[in-house]
Amino acid sequence: MSARWTTAVLDTNVGGGLAVVRSAEGFMVDANGALFPRDWFKRQEPDIRFEHGIGHYDGQPVYLIELHGSQALPGCSWRGLRQFMLEGDFDTYTILGYAAQIATWAREHRFCGSCGQPMTQINRERAMYCEPCDLRSYPRISPSMIVLITRGDEILLARSPRFVTGVYSTLAGFAEPGESAEDCLVREVREEVALEVKNIQYVGSQCWPFPHSMMLGFHAEYAGGEIVMQPDEIEDAQWFRVDALPPLPAGRSIARYLIDLYVARRLGLAEPVLPR
Ligand SMILES: NC(=O)C1=CN([C@@H]2O[C@H](COP(=O)(O)OP(=O)(O)OC[C@H]3O[C@@H](n4cnc5c(N)ncnc54)[C@H](O)[C@@H]3O)[C@@H](O)[C@H]2O)C=CC1
Ligand SMILES: [Mg+2]
Ligand SMILES: [Zn+2]
């Protein structure tokens, strides 16, 4: 959400407004960006899989159109959500991040998980509905803990084999049923590096639409243990001094924010702002 963008459930039978267009290749863009006049776009006779009204941008209704194929219109091309996260304006990234989450959910909830019948889209609520079961499926959000562990002037950073070459980041992991955020944090830290932590402090949260994480960011202090890396998940983990850091995650990630915040406090620099 931002001052210019608010989410809403809109009736897709009403015309007008703007459309963001998605396929397996990402979002459609042309020279004007990723928001298209919706009526014009529909006149191009695209092969639409589904459509959801998702919110208002500067007061204008915005719809998500998901296509079957990935044939772009003349002058248009496809761009992945990560590209929008890394560059360009934050409002567009926020809208597309939301649209991507709705699209993933809508695609994965076409059938009732209980009885297997097709589900229908509800107009007034962001839910897919099975009438025989009276069951609603809402968009999926996966709570994930992320923590910066510190030891005085040193911070613990690790590499997953999935990361861009050379980049080190904070530890993170998905919550399991039955856990508090703090339980999850302690478990993930034990699993990934076999360390113990203390003084766990909540710092802030961030929507991470890859594909549907809600990042809950914490700071914790080292309490004991020697680093033992979890096979497959952690390729390397080290203590780094705040004035000698390796390549770090993207500027808009909460991982980067947690690192920058601690470094700023330690070195007496201006504190960063969490993009969200
Ligand atoms: N915004 C940011 O700054 C950062 C975001 N993240 C995100 O945090 C999330 C968790 O981080 P990871 O280290 O990958 O998790 P993790 O340490 O729990 O390991 C990933 C494993 O968790 C399991 N898993 C996958 N999806 C799951 C779900 N929805 N619920 C429960 N378990 C699931 C799978 O076995 C997967 O291999 C990811 O979505 C990741 O993209 C991670 C680091 C930085
Ligand atoms: Mg992890
Ligand atoms: Zn059902």
Side-chain angles (χ1 to χ4, degrees), residues 160-224:
S160 148
R162 300 184 295 271
F163 288 1
V164 175
T165 311
V167 169
Y168 281 74
S169 185
T170 49
L171 301 183
F174 292 100
E176 290 180 1
E179 285 184 330
S180 67
E182 291 82 359
D183 291 341
C184 171
L185 190 162
V186 168
R187 176 184 54 75
E188 284 288 343
V189 172
R190 283 183 185 149
E191 283 176 7
E192 295 192 348
V193 290
L195 296 182
E196 298 298 321
V197 291
K198 63 182 181 186
N199 297 338
I200 297 170
Q201 299 286 334
Y202 175 70
V203 178
S205 68
Q206 180 184 57
C207 160
W208 190 246
F210 303 100
H212 36 58
S213 282
M214 149 85 86
M215 306 305 303
L216 304 174
F218 291 84
H219 173 241
E221 290 175 16
Y222 168 79

Side-chain angles (χ1 to χ4, degrees), residues 238-256:
Q238 296 179 35
W239 292 102
F240 292 93
R241 285 188 52 86
V242 289
D243 55 5
L245 296 174
L248 298 175
R252 283 175 177 173
S253 66
I254 191 167
R256 180 60 176 268

Side-chain angles (χ1 to χ4, degrees), residues 89-127:
D89 75 290
F90 196 70
D91 276 339
T92 305
Y93 165 60
T94 305
I95 296 169
L96 299 184
Y98 183 70
Q101 282 183 256
I102 298 308
T104 301
W105 158 77
R107 203 180 53 240
E108 295 176 355
H109 291 81
R110 288 157 57 223
F111 299 95
C112 174
S114 183
C115 76
Q117 299 293 311
M119 295 186 110
T120 52
Q121 207 164 315
I122 299 183
N123 257 343
R124 267 179 248 293
E125 202 183 10
R126 183 76 64 212

